[in-house]
Amino acid sequence: MIETLVWIALALGVIGVYLSWTAGRLDRLHSRMDAARAALDAQLVRRASVVVEVAASGVLDPASSLVLYESAHAARQAEEEHREVAESELSQALRAVFADADQVEVLKAAPGGAEAAEELAAAVRRVPMARRFHNDSVRAARALRRHRKVRWFRLAGHAPFPLAFEMDDEPPADLAERPV
């Protein structure tokens, strides 16, 4: 009888340690996902800031400057539920304005334009990488949260189900090819 109780207690202990380890792993995934989201937010803000600087520089034609400025401002001011759309519209505006390689050359020819072009190129290249890291973190957290043991024992607590950040982040071809 005592031997059976010892084995039951040992089994419950092993199960408890395993569940605790799984909960810790899930917590680390959530932390990694939060850090990746903060990095993505920083890259999106950086891209919008650089676009505003380029639009306000007076180097581009007024129509292009206005399109870029309005798109960047909308992306910066967008509420969380509309942010993906606003950021996608900024990507589309960048592709529309810089679809012609001459626009990049005009920007580079202006005083301080070479640095602005490099900064803009770096900003538009970093957004897809940051989004990919974030979405990979989300995918890993989702995969663990779908396991029965996580659902049955509510190991995720009250954390919201992770959502990927889906946006059009394709950079303009002429900017993407520029070295940083």
Side-chain angles (χ1 to χ4, degrees), residues 9-153:
L10 184 63
L12 289 176
V14 168
I15 290 170
V17 167
Y18 178 72
L19 290 176
S20 175
W21 177 81
T22 303
R25 181 172 167 229
L26 186 60
D27 186 51
R28 287 188 303 278
L29 284 172
H30 281 149
S31 296
R32 189 176 96 190
M33 186 178 58
D34 291 342
R37 180 56 188 241
L40 174 60
D41 286 340
Q43 291 303 323
L44 292 172
V45 168
R46 181 173 181 265
R47 179 180 76 157
S49 297
V50 172
V51 170
V52 166
E53 287 177 23
V54 168
S57 69
V59 173
L60 303 174
D61 63 277
S64 297
S65 293
L66 186 63
V67 167
L68 286 178
Y69 181 82
E70 286 181 353
S71 296
H73 183 69
R76 285 169 125 185
Q77 301 298 321
E79 294 179 15
E80 196 59 37
E81 59 268 4
H82 302 292
R83 184 133 187 234
E84 293 172 349
V85 173
E87 295 292 346
S88 293
E89 288 172 356
L90 178 55
S91 296
Q92 293 165 2
L94 282 166
R95 281 197 309 273
V97 169
F98 293 107
D100 186 13
D102 294 336
Q103 282 285 54
V104 177
E105 297 307 321
V106 166
L107 178 61
K108 288 184 77 170
E115 293 83 20
E118 285 183 22
E119 193 174 351
L120 182 60
V124 299
R125 277 196 310 265
R126 288 181 179 147
V127 167
M129 287 187 296
R131 188 177 72 86
R132 198 170 310 120
F133 287 138
H134 174 264
N135 287 349
D136 287 345
S137 299
V138 167
R139 196 172 303 114
R142 280 181 170 181
L144 185 57
R145 286 184 68 157
R146 284 191 183 111
H147 289 137
R148 275 186 238 143
K149 65 181 175 268
V150 173
R151 289 191 323 257
W152 288 351
F153 293 102

